[in-house]
């Protein structure tokens, strides 16, 4: 089993909601939640295989290298690119 973590540094979903454009004072301070936990540390804690992949180099062949067992695959991306990246993943792997 593989668990994919698309890491955009947390909380960015709130920037997509309509009220985020209303110039709310301290919006980022209260709604954007940068990830302080290291995904690799969580994998080690639970004795899981950990892989880190470059979002720009994702393709089906890369996944043949992944070990059997439980894997955590972290893909770090810029928050402004995450929706586009998810669309690419759907087109590449869910066809």
């Amino acid at each position: 089993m593989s668990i994919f973590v698309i890491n955009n540094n947390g909380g960015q979903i709130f920037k997509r909601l309509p009220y985020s454009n209303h110039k709310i004072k301290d919006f980022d301070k209260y709604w954007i939640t940068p990830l302080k936990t290291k995904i690799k540390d969580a994998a080690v804690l639970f004795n899981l295989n950990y892989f880190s992949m470059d979002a720009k180099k994702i393709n089906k062949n890369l996944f043949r290298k992944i070990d059997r067992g439980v894997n955590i695959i972290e893909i770090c991306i810029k928050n402004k690119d995450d929706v586009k990246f998810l669309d690419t993943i759907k087109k590449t792997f869910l066809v």
Side-chain angles (χ1 to χ4, degrees):
M1 175 174 72
S2 293
I3 300 165
F4 289 84
V5 177
I6 300 171
N7 186 352
N8 68 354
N9 204 28
Q12 304 303 329
I13 191 169
F14 298 109
K15 283 200 170 192
R16 291 187 187 84
L17 298 175
Y19 63 81
S20 69
N21 296 324
H22 294 6
K23 298 182 181 178
I24 299 169
K25 182 182 177 185
D26 295 327
F27 179 83
D28 285 354
K29 179 179 177 181
Y30 293 108
W31 290 101
I32 305 304
T33 53
L35 190 64
K36 293 179 183 174
T37 303
K38 303 292 180 216
I39 301 301
K40 184 175 184 177
D41 292 345
V44 169
L45 177 66
F46 293 103
N47 198 29
L48 307 175
N49 302 314
Y50 172 82
F51 298 90
S52 178
M53 293 188 171
D54 183 338
K56 295 179 181 176
K57 296 180 181 178
I58 296 290
N59 65 56
K60 290 181 182 181
N61 294 328
L62 285 173
F63 296 102
R64 292 188 180 132
K65 298 177 184 177
I66 295 174
D67 293 339
R68 294 179 187 255
V70 180
N71 305 293
I72 293 183
I73 302 154
E74 181 177 21
I75 303 166
C76 294
I77 60 173
K78 295 177 182 175
N79 62 354
K80 66 181 179 78
D81 296 334
D82 60 359
V83 173
K84 187 169 108 176
F85 175 74
L86 290 172
D87 288 342
T88 300
I89 290 293
K90 288 177 190 174
K91 289 175 187 170
T92 304
F93 297 101
L94 301 178
V95 179

